[in-house]
Amino acid sequence: MAETYAALRAARTLAIAFVVPLQGPTGIYGPSCLACGELAVEQLNAGRGIAGREVELVIVDGGRDPEVVADEVGALVDTGRVQAVAGWHISAVRQAITRRVGGRVVYAFAAMHEGGDETPGVFMLGERPINQLLPAAHWMRRELGVGRWAIVGNDYVFPRVTGTTARLALEGTDSQVVSETYVPLGTSDFSGVLARLNDQPVDGVIMLLMGQDAVHFNRQFARSGLAVQMPRLSPAVEENTLLAGGAGAHEGLYAAAAYFDSLRTSESSELAAAYYGRWGAWAPALNAVGESCYEALLFLARLGEVCGSVSMESVARLETGHFYSSPRGLMRLDGNLVDQDVYLAEADGLEFRITDQIARAR
């Protein structure tokens, strides 16, 4: 009888490996990821779930070594415990997971990314340099006169590929990348990096630092006095980073993202009302990272609605160019990538103030 019940429950439930960072430099994002993920599940299960199946999240700590994360996800897929993968985590973790289970289950990768992953079943839902970092750099050249950039990033695939993309894309324009520095994840002392910045002919800094590393850098950057002369631009800094850094660490800091808590579109306002209505005024920050996790789960629901299932066979029939609505506004599927509206915001103490829209879903 117990086996029959378990089989029936498995048939009625869609279990998703929800891979989000709970430790390490990116662990600062974890509470926002969990709160947004749970909200999405509650909303989905109040309706049809995903393709008529109740949604269950199986939490996987994506803040550990990529191979350790991939082994845990692989075991969950191997045993049939989960039927899909979703969440926000760094690209090094994504690459390890795709090597382990790529092509076997649908994988909704929510983070901003460097692009170029053609693994079957992988959908790259985040922003990418072509609609995030590069338009922001052009805006800052036009509006602030920032032409010579120094890149400071963590030493793994996303910052390095994004840095190379920026350097090549800006060649022949009024902007250029004059230096690139990459440090290990978990770096807390940036004194050497700041000394080199002070000696270089640089107008601004492109920050490709994650989580707590960005917090340390911003604090030390502000104390060095460089904030007065060098604006910073980041595709990864969000509201948790501002809170952790403190109000005095963010003069001249700009962020480019598809979602901010201060975004006041009708779609974003609907999510904010539901989020704070569920978790209250002291909830974890509603930010681009948490919203991305919410986005990934709603995307799987959209796949189930359009394809009838989230199995690899069903999803393979999904046509490119598909439009759908989300808290970010109108989204368009371009192969396994997503085009979306992207905004530039300036840090104002512990909040972001939207400055301009720099990209639109095409």
Side-chain angles (χ1 to χ4, degrees):
M1 180 68 72
E3 291 181 358
T4 302
Y5 173 78
L8 286 172
R9 185 177 186 281
R12 295 172 180 170
T13 302
L14 181 74
I16 301 168
F18 190 54
V19 187
V20 296
L22 303 179
Q23 61 181 285
T26 56
I28 191 173
Y29 308 137
S32 299
C33 295
L34 295 175
C36 286
E38 187 170 339
L39 175 64
V41 168
E42 289 178 358
Q43 291 179 339
L44 291 171
N45 286 342
R48 294 191 63 251
I50 295 180
R53 299 168 70 181
E54 183 179 0
V55 182
E56 176 193 2
L57 296 184
V58 178
I59 308 299
V60 176
D61 181 2
R64 297 169 295 168
D65 178 84
E67 297 302 329
V68 172
V69 179
D71 284 344
E72 182 172 343
V73 173
L76 292 169
V77 173
D78 292 345
T79 59
R81 177 66 181 88
V82 300
Q83 296 80 50
V85 180
W88 192 105
H89 36 275
I90 65 173
S91 290
V93 171
R94 185 198 79 238
Q95 290 183 329
I97 292 174
T98 55
R99 286 194 296 269
R100 183 69 166 78
V101 302
R104 296 168 58 193
V105 293
V106 170
Y107 183 0
F109 179 66
M112 71 279 174
H113 59 87
E114 68 283 356
D117 193 328
E118 300 297 330
T119 305
V122 173
F123 291 91
M124 312 276 276
L125 306 180
E127 306 91 333
R128 46 193 162 135
I130 193 172
N131 71 351
Q132 184 186 28
L133 186 60
L134 296 178
H138 292 315
W139 186 97
M140 294 184 72
R141 170 63 181 177
R142 184 177 68 250
E143 300 296 331
L144 303 179
V146 179
R148 297 169 299 181
W149 291 101
I151 292 176
V152 179
N154 286 123
D155 192 6
Y156 72 94
V157 59
F158 167 71
R160 281 198 171 271
V161 174
T162 300
T164 298
T165 300
R167 173 166 45 80
L168 295 175
L170 293 176
E171 286 182 358
T173 73
D174 291 334
S175 301
Q176 60 179 317
V177 173
V178 299
S179 72
E180 296 179 56
T181 302
Y182 298 96
V183 300
L185 277 164
T187 295
S188 59
D189 182 359
F190 289 92
S191 55
V193 175
L194 295 172
R196 288 191 295 273
L197 286 175
N198 202 36
D199 292 338
Q200 293 173 347
V202 172
D203 303 321
V205 178
I206 293 175
M207 287 175 51
L208 301 176
L209 299 166
M210 300 295 116
Q212 194 62 44
D213 290 17
V215 172
H216 290 304
F217 181 80
N218 283 331
R219 288 173 177 168
Q220 294 166 41
F221 191 89
R223 287 198 298 267
S224 74
L226 288 173
V228 178
Q229 53 185 303
M230 288 183 200
R232 285 157 289 168
L233 169 63
S234 174
V237 167
E238 42 63 68
E239 287 78 358
N240 279 314
T241 311
L242 297 188
L243 290 171
H250 307 124
E251 180 182 358
L253 174 63
Y254 290 80
Y259 188 90
F260 293 94
D261 194 17
S262 56
L263 191 61
R264 293 293 180 263
T265 63
S266 58
E267 296 91 349
S268 66
S269 297
E270 184 177 344
L271 171 60
Y275 182 83
Y276 291 112
R278 175 64 178 87
W279 302 118
W282 302 108
L286 179 55
N287 57 2
V289 176
E291 189 278 336
S292 294
C293 293
Y294 182 91
E295 187 83 38
L297 298 174
L298 265 62
F299 177 78
L300 291 178
R302 184 63 174 165
L303 287 182
E305 179 183 350
V306 173
C307 303
S309 166
V310 295
S311 70
M312 288 292 296
E313 296 76 14
S314 298
V315 170
R317 297 192 292 269
L318 182 68
E319 295 183 0
T320 189
H322 178 74
F323 280 92
Y324 66 98
S325 183
S326 88
R328 301 182 185 185
L330 190 64
M331 313 277 277
R332 187 180 77 87
L333 196 63
D334 180 11
N336 72 330
L337 306 175
V338 169
D339 286 330
Q340 56 209 293
D341 296 343
V342 178
Y343 301 86
L344 187 71
E346 182 178 6
D348 184 6
L350 300 179
E351 299 178 333
F352 280 111
R353 178 166 41 82
I354 305 295
T355 302
D356 206 349
Q357 182 173 354
I358 57 174
R360 298 181 182 277
R362 297 178 281 109

